[in-house]
Amino acid sequence: MLKTSILAALLAAAPLAVLAQDKGADTVVATVNGTPITLGEMIVMKQAAAQDPQMAEMGDGALYEIMLDQLIQQTAVADAGQENAGVRAQLEIQRRNTLAAAAITEVTKNQPTDEEIQAAYDNLFAAEEPATEYSAAHILVDTEEKAREIKTQLDGGADFGTLAEQSSTGPSGPNKGDLGWFSADQMVKPFADAVSAMEKGQISDPVQTEFGWHVIKLNDTRLREAPALDEVRDQISQMVLRDKVQAEIERLTSEATVEKVEGIDPALMNKTELLEAQ
């Protein structure tokens, strides 16, 4: 008898479970002045709430009530709003933005393959020759005379870093003139040419650039090799994905039938009073 009662209870509850599973995004969870609020709106709102750490930690029950109350308030206030040309324009832009985002999301669902990543890597780095990088320090002053005085002191055994701290007008002065590692193309040409011609440990004669007069010390050189694929895989993958998105945008735009209306005065964009039209 007990087994029969349990079976009956399970059978009675089964339609309720099926009903819960069958609910779709259009299921109405509340109405405000006859305007429906749907389960789909709640799902979208929960996705947005996931960006808020506090909201993300809430249980579904508490979050459901908070979001539903917010949507009820929004709907009630929206009923008091007056639709005009400006509101309609904003709604249309938001509609197109949402649809465009959905289209782009479809493109990004397929992550780049290993073959695509390898091809992009080869395109970026395979043909690249190792580049020379330089580690140097400099003392920057405003006249050639000052630069030559500093060079004379250095030739006499003065400490480069100390003179840089005392005399350099450049931002690297407090750091003993140290410029760190750089490639020639990161510097203005006269500076780059001077460094490229120097030997390790050498101190240059005064070099003039648009910033003033430099006395340069070359600390070291090294060859910059292309990074290993595994080191840049994530960046390459993102680049391939961006290229795919851009290609899809360009494809859809090129295939669209576009008709620009001639004779529209661009100054009309300044007439914000047009947005007030009912």
Side-chain angles (χ1 to χ4, degrees):
M1 182 68 179
L2 180 59
K3 290 182 179 180
T4 304
S5 299
I6 293 174
L7 180 60
L10 289 173
L11 290 173
L16 295 176
V18 171
L19 183 61
Q21 293 172 359
D22 287 345
K23 290 189 181 301
D26 293 331
T27 300
V28 175
V29 297
T31 60
V32 180
N33 297 329
T35 299
I37 297 172
T38 67
L39 180 59
E41 293 168 30
M42 297 284 286
I43 294 172
V44 169
M45 197 169 184
K46 186 177 187 296
Q47 288 177 325
Q51 306 302 316
D52 183 334
Q54 291 183 336
M55 300 287 274
E57 292 177 358
M58 287 187 181
D60 286 344
L63 196 57
Y64 181 94
E65 294 300 328
I66 289 174
M67 293 192 307
L68 184 56
D69 286 345
Q70 289 180 355
L71 285 173
I72 287 171
Q73 292 175 2
Q74 180 194 67
T75 307
V77 174
D79 281 348
Q82 297 296 316
E83 184 176 308
N84 58 23
V87 171
R88 288 191 292 274
Q90 290 183 49
L91 289 173
E92 179 56 24
I93 289 173
Q94 291 172 5
R95 185 186 73 84
R96 289 201 296 261
N97 276 341
T98 302
L99 288 172
I104 296 303
T105 298
E106 286 300 311
V107 177
T108 59
K109 281 183 177 178
N110 295 321
Q111 292 296 308
T113 64
D114 289 341
E115 290 76 13
E116 290 172 327
I117 293 173
Q118 182 68 56
Y121 172 84
D122 290 343
N123 186 53
L124 282 173
F125 298 112
E128 184 178 282
E129 294 293 332
T132 300
E133 291 186 321
Y134 306 90
S135 170
H138 77 142
I139 300 172
L140 176 64
V141 292
D142 55 2
T143 67
E144 182 179 8
E145 182 182 2
K146 290 181 182 178
R148 292 199 176 279
E149 290 176 0
I150 288 171
K151 178 63 163 60
T152 299
Q153 293 180 60
L154 292 169
D155 289 343
D159 180 69
F160 192 97
T162 300
L163 282 182
E165 290 178 320
Q166 294 172 350
S167 306
S168 183
T169 61
S172 64
N175 196 33
K176 299 183 182 297
D178 185 32
L179 295 170
W181 287 96
F182 57 88
S183 56
D185 60 4
Q186 292 177 287
M187 295 297 176
V188 291
K189 191 174 188 307
F191 193 102
D193 289 345
V195 170
S196 300
M198 293 171 64
E199 299 291 335
K200 179 178 176 181
Q202 183 180 351
I203 296 176
S204 73
D205 288 326
V207 176
Q208 185 180 23
T209 72
E210 61 194 85
F211 303 106
W213 289 86
H214 309 256
V215 178
I216 308 165
K217 179 181 179 181
L218 180 61
N219 298 319
D220 204 354
T221 63
R222 67 185 182 189
L223 287 179
R224 182 187 64 203
E225 302 284 350
L229 175 58
D230 286 343
E231 294 177 7
V232 292
R233 178 177 293 275
D234 290 344
Q235 296 94 313
I236 297 289
S237 178
Q238 289 300 313
M239 184 190 74
V240 172
L241 205 54
R242 285 196 301 270
D243 289 347
K244 282 186 174 184
V245 168
Q246 187 58 38
E248 181 65 3
I249 291 172
E250 292 175 0
R251 183 188 72 80
L252 291 171
T253 303
S254 66
E255 293 179 358
T257 302
V258 179
E259 298 177 4
K260 293 185 179 181
V261 178
E262 301 295 334
I264 302 296
D265 184 0
L268 288 172
M269 291 190 299
N270 299 318
K271 295 179 68 66
T272 55
E273 62 271 19
L274 296 177
L275 298 178
E276 299 172 5
Q278 297 300 314

